[in-house]
Amino acid sequence: MEDTEDFVGQGPHPVDNDVFKEPMKKRRRSDRDQRFRAFPSVEQSALKEYEKLESRTRRVLSNTYQKLIQSVFLDDSIPNGVKYLINRLLALIEKPSLDPIYIGLFGSTGAGKSSLINAIIQQAMFLPVSGESICTSCIVQVSSGCCEQYEAKIHLLSDQEWKEELKNLTKLLHRTEELDREEADAWDRDDAVEEAIWKLQMFYGNGAERKNYEELLRAKPKGKIPTSRIITLKAEEAGELSVKLDPYIRTQRRDLDGESAETQIWPLIKHVEVTLPKSELIPEGVVLVDIPGTGDFNSKRDEMWKKTIDKCSVIWVISDIERVSGGRAHEDLLNESIRACQRGFCRDVALVVTKTDKLHLPEYLRERKVGNRAISSQREAVLERNEMIKLQRNRILKEKLKRSRGNQGFHQTLKAVCLKNGIYASRTLARIDLNEAITQPIYDQIDPVFGGIFRTGKPTDSTLLPHIEAFKNSLQEKMMEIGVRNGWKYDSYKKSFLIQEISAILGGLEDYILRKKRRIYESLTTSVQNDLKPCYEEAAQIAGKKACERMKDVIRRGVDRQVAERMFERAQERMQHQFQQLKNGITEKVKGSIATMLTLASSQGDGLYKELADVQSEYKEMEKLHRSLREVAENAVLRRGMQDFLLRMSPSKTAPPKA
């Protein structure tokens, strides 16, 4: 969008103005040569031409927009037709060349997510790696851009978000003298409590865990917090940035004496964005996302965790070869990925197995079934084992897509679960969601239907998007009939306008539907969570002897009471209401936009100003750009065809001559 920003806010100027053209060429040529090296060579020249044409097109659109704005700037009221044109021009100017493609790397501790990203970007130790413990402590996004340096932006929790977490951490640590010795020891050993102590000591220093909420609000943090809540790091080399970034994204450890090993503001970090300069391996627009496997105790970070998973077009579930079969954490992550296909933008889940060269040959040979062919080397054994696991996991993945899921248990972290209204997410522990577990039998029943409605692959009779496409085609035919009746038969401009605007209006519905899809899918768990909130709050206040059993009893009675009062029926009604809102939203968007478009197309001055800015020069320039675009596309097809022909006819592809 650099080209757009150069023009917005300035007066109109000729498209061919050399003042703007020449500096742009000098500044961007080297970047353009680098940006497309991830693509096949036959496509690179076409992509460079497309980018040049796109830049020129944005300039023409910006000029047109500025002229139109200036022509109505002093008027008290603007007709709907002119508003429509202005909004459409602005949408085209701001539209990115390509929507970002998020590839989520999802895996448990030591699975190799960071190592895989490091391998992709060819920087062995760029992100912290370790096979023994959790290394990456927050969501890390890695992408390439046109910057000259390596850059990282570390986003921190706002002051209000940290106060919310601080309040929950101090509640979790609250203990009374009524606890007997056995219960106190169990509470001290609880992982949730230990993590809370760890965070407070890291942020405020030793002894912070013994202070109450008000005292900690007055306490001074150990690290310096920028007012912008963003820390920006830059470096000329990848290794230099990696060293700077490491303390912020590596899970911090404590020394043997319990003191914090680092004095950074690690507990405040929400997520990190890393931008690489001109990567040959990651095309611009592709974002690799290293996603910690369990979410977070802080509600804002946990919500971002879920949103990040849901916006991924592709999810790679990472597991090492020793955990891929039967590991509970791996199965939980696989199930979460499949749920992302139901509620989010994800269209593909892939299982990526790391460390596949690890194999103890004598043990493997002993476990092989009798009758298999002989194995003569370590390499043959590795290849055979990997192929067997690939076939097995493919079968299991397909079965899971047809998606039952067992309830998730809870033990000594129950107080943390109640404090967060039935959800406990930690950077180090397995995720617990009681609301999801309670509604799972309902999801087991509705998932096939829900998946059918929002399917993006092979369509079924109930799939929504193909019906919208059919409606679009039918509407375009109707518009042509209306055009003939209104004397537009020979007006190619109006016909083209109608066709392209209908495509734009209905094409934009897909993103609208996918955004609403998540809210609809989660409406069941949200409804149950709202109904059970009073019993969670009651349980969270319980302390003293047998607190855990008493909390369980409060939750059981609360669930029983809400079920008797039609909790599940209410959840069903709320989901139906969300579907109805989606239906109404689609109808209103289509009716309003098409009505305005028809008014604009059919007006003879009544829907427009009698005299608007003269944009004939911009129109002629757009026609030239359109012709150039067609030529580039045709040449690209010819080049690709010629390359395929030469490959087929090359000597290496032909059969050897007969003797």
Side-chain angles (χ1 to χ4, degrees):
M1 294 304 301
E2 202 172 330
D3 298 334
T4 303
E5 291 169 359
D6 287 343
F7 286 86
V8 173
Q10 299 180 16
H13 42 71
V15 174
D16 292 322
N17 194 331
D18 290 336
V19 173
F20 290 89
K21 271 194 172 180
E22 198 57 36
M24 187 70 67
K25 285 183 179 178
K26 289 180 179 177
R27 187 173 68 248
R28 298 293 295 275
R29 183 181 293 127
S30 61
D31 290 347
R32 190 180 297 122
D33 291 340
Q34 295 284 339
R35 286 176 62 189
F36 302 117
R37 291 184 65 179
F39 294 90
S41 57
V42 73
E43 296 179 10
Q44 289 185 27
S45 59
L47 289 170
K48 291 174 186 176
E49 290 301 317
Y50 288 149
E51 189 181 50
K52 291 178 185 176
L53 292 172
E54 180 193 11
S55 177
R56 290 170 59 191
T57 300
R58 287 189 192 277
R59 295 183 183 203
V60 176
L61 291 172
S62 296
N63 284 345
T64 308
Y65 174 79
Q66 292 296 331
K67 284 185 175 181
L68 205 55
I69 286 291
Q70 288 186 0
S71 68
V72 299
F73 182 70
L74 298 176
D75 295 327
D76 294 329
S77 62
I78 304 174
N80 288 336
V82 178
K83 287 181 183 177
Y84 182 89
L85 287 176
I86 290 173
N87 290 333
R88 284 288 287 124
L89 283 168
L90 189 59
L92 288 170
I93 292 167
E94 294 181 344
K95 182 178 174 62
S97 307
L98 292 171
D99 291 327
I101 299 173
Y102 292 91
I103 300 176
L105 280 72
F106 207 29
S108 55
T109 304
K113 303 185 300 296
S114 298
S115 296
L116 182 56
I117 291 180
N118 290 342
I120 291 172
I121 65 176
Q122 294 186 346
Q123 299 289 342
M125 297 296 292
F126 188 75
L127 297 181
V129 296
S130 169
E132 300 174 357
S133 62
I134 295 175
C135 271
T136 310
S137 63
C138 60
I139 294 170
V140 180
Q141 298 184 3
V142 180
S143 60
S144 66
C146 293
C147 55
E148 296 296 329
Q149 293 180 306
Y150 291 83
E151 182 177 297
K153 288 188 176 180
I154 300 154
H155 298 260
L156 307 179
L157 293 173
S158 68
D159 186 56
Q160 190 60 39
E161 289 166 353
W162 172 245
K163 286 179 180 178
E164 178 208 335
E165 177 162 4
L166 188 61
K167 186 176 292 184
N168 287 322
L169 291 174
T170 51
K171 282 183 181 178
L172 189 60
L173 292 176
H174 176 69
R175 292 172 293 178
T176 69
E177 296 179 356
E178 297 178 19
L179 289 173
D180 58 35
R181 180 61 180 270
E182 183 180 348
E183 287 178 316
D185 288 344
W187 191 260
D188 282 337
R189 291 193 305 270
D190 182 20
D191 288 332
V193 171
E194 212 166 278
E195 187 180 2
I197 293 172
W198 188 11
K199 284 184 176 180
L200 293 179
Q201 288 181 344
M202 181 73 66
F203 195 64
Y204 294 110
N206 290 337
E209 72 278 10
R210 294 189 291 272
K211 297 180 179 179
N212 61 34
Y213 173 67
E214 287 73 19
E215 289 173 326
L216 289 173
L217 283 179
R218 296 190 295 270
K220 184 178 180 180
K222 291 169 65 177
K224 185 179 179 181
I225 305 170
T227 54
S228 65
R229 314 301 273 201
I230 296 176
I231 300 171
T232 302
L233 307 175
K234 293 184 179 182
E236 295 293 332
E237 301 293 335
E240 183 186 352
L241 182 66
S242 178
V243 171
K244 292 180 178 179
L245 187 60
D246 191 274
Y248 296 100
I249 62 175
R250 183 186 291 274
T251 298
Q252 301 299 325
R253 300 169 180 164
R254 290 178 291 177
D255 292 329
L256 295 176
D257 61 0
E259 291 289 332
S260 297
E262 298 283 346
T263 58
Q264 305 290 347
I265 50 176
W266 172 76
L268 274 187
I269 295 171
K270 188 188 295 186
H271 71 284
V272 174
E273 295 176 325
V274 178
T275 306
L276 312 177
K278 300 185 289 289
S279 172
E280 299 178 17
L281 297 162
I282 307 178
E284 190 173 348
V286 173
V287 184
L288 300 176
V289 191
D290 188 341
I291 307 174
T294 55
D296 198 275
F297 186 61
N298 178 271
S299 59
K300 293 295 181 183
R301 267 194 300 246
D302 194 58
E303 176 66 14
M304 183 178 179
W305 177 80
K306 292 188 77 172
K307 285 185 175 179
T308 301
I309 295 172
D310 290 347
K311 74 181 180 183
C312 290
S313 304
V314 178
I315 292 177
W316 296 348
V317 182
I318 316 294
S319 180
D320 70 51
I321 194 72
E322 294 177 344
R323 304 183 198 182
V324 72
S325 298
R328 172 63 189 272
H330 168 75
E331 296 299 318
D332 287 345
L333 295 175
L334 192 57
N335 286 324
E336 186 64 41
S337 302
I338 292 169
R339 290 181 74 84
C341 288
Q342 293 282 41
R343 68 176 184 243
F345 287 78
C346 181
R347 301 188 178 193
D348 188 26
V349 176
L351 178 59
V352 179
V353 182
T354 59
K355 307 174 187 176
T356 54
D357 56 344
K358 289 176 61 175
L359 181 138
H360 187 249
L361 185 57
E363 182 180 350
Y364 178 73
L365 292 175
R366 187 176 67 242
E367 292 178 353
R368 287 179 81 230
K369 292 181 180 179
V370 179
N372 286 354
R373 66 180 180 83
I375 292 289
S376 59
S377 68
Q378 175 91 3
R379 182 175 182 276
E380 285 186 19
V382 167
L383 291 175
E384 180 186 80
R385 188 273 314 269
N386 292 352
E387 184 62 25
M388 289 171 56
I389 288 179
K390 180 180 177 182
L391 293 172
Q392 178 194 56
R393 301 311 296 177
N394 274 342
R395 186 184 72 252
I396 291 173
L397 185 57
K398 288 177 181 177
E399 290 173 357
K400 282 185 175 293
L401 286 168
K402 298 175 183 178
R403 260 208 77 278
S404 63
R405 184 180 184 186
N407 291 350
Q408 302 179 32
F410 59 97
H411 302 286
Q412 294 175 347
T413 54
L414 185 55
K415 189 175 184 71
V417 171
C418 295
L419 283 170
K420 304 301 291 183
N421 294 324
I423 300 173
Y424 178 66
S426 161
R427 298 184 185 188
T428 56
L429 306 174
R431 184 181 181 85
I432 297 170
D433 191 334
L434 295 186
N435 310 300
E436 184 181 289
I438 290 168
T439 54
Q440 190 57 46
I442 304 176
Y443 280 114
D444 289 341
Q445 297 297 316
I446 69 169
D447 274 354
V449 178
F450 195 92
I453 293 171
F454 295 101
R455 188 185 301 274
T456 54
K458 186 178 179 181
T460 64
D461 291 341
S462 62
T463 307
L464 180 58
L465 294 178
H467 285 292
I468 291 177
E469 182 68 21
F471 173 69
K472 181 185 78 174
N473 296 333
S474 175
L475 186 60
Q476 287 175 337
E477 291 176 5
K478 291 290 185 185
M479 290 299 102
M480 291 301 96
E481 293 175 10
I482 293 173
V484 170
R485 289 200 299 269
N486 286 274
W488 303 347
K489 184 176 181 180
Y490 303 107
D491 193 336
S492 60
Y493 301 117
K494 284 189 175 179
K495 286 164 61 177
S496 298
F497 173 77
L498 288 170
I499 294 293
Q500 72 182 24
E501 290 305 293
I502 289 171
S503 294
I505 291 166
L506 297 181
L509 284 179
E510 182 173 358
D511 281 344
Y512 173 76
I513 290 168
L514 290 175
R515 286 196 303 271
K516 293 292 185 182
K517 170 183 159 184
R518 181 189 180 208
R519 183 178 294 178
I520 296 171
Y521 190 77
E522 292 184 338
S523 62
L524 291 178
T525 51
T526 302
S527 177
V528 167
Q529 184 182 48
N530 289 337
D531 286 348
L532 294 179
K533 188 174 181 179
C535 78
Y536 288 139
E537 291 174 345
E538 181 184 348
Q541 300 302 316
I542 293 175
K545 294 182 178 180
K546 307 296 181 184
C548 188
E549 291 303 317
R550 288 158 57 202
M551 282 191 286
K552 288 180 182 178
D553 186 58
V554 166
I555 293 172
R556 287 192 196 101
R557 286 188 283 105
V559 171
D560 290 342
R561 182 172 62 252
Q562 289 297 328
V563 169
E565 295 175 0
R566 301 180 69 254
M567 176 175 72
F568 292 125
E569 289 82 359
R570 282 196 300 276
Q572 179 183 349
E573 290 165 1
R574 286 165 180 164
M575 178 175 267
Q576 289 174 338
H577 177 67
Q578 292 283 349
F579 267 113
Q580 188 61 45
Q581 282 189 321
L582 173 62
K583 179 181 175 182
N584 295 341
I586 291 172
T587 303
E588 289 170 8
K589 279 181 171 292
V590 172
K591 284 176 66 175
S593 298
I594 289 181
T596 304
M597 177 201 67
L598 285 175
T599 301
L600 183 60
S602 61
S603 64
Q604 300 296 327
D606 52 336
L608 290 171
Y609 280 69
K610 291 183 179 179
E611 194 171 324
L612 289 174
D614 184 359
V615 293
Q616 286 195 43
S617 60
E618 285 79 7
Y619 175 77
K620 290 177 181 178
E621 181 67 15
M622 288 294 284
E623 282 191 320
K624 287 197 304 185
L625 289 169
H626 183 249
R627 287 195 298 270
S628 300
L629 181 62
R630 264 194 321 209
E631 290 172 7
V632 171
E634 290 167 0
N635 290 337
V637 172
L638 287 173
R639 279 196 297 269
R640 195 176 299 115
M642 181 61 71
Q643 186 184 56
D644 292 342
F645 173 76
L646 292 174
L647 284 173
R648 288 196 303 271
M649 298 305 294
S650 64
S652 61
K653 299 293 181 182
T654 57
K658 293 183 180 179

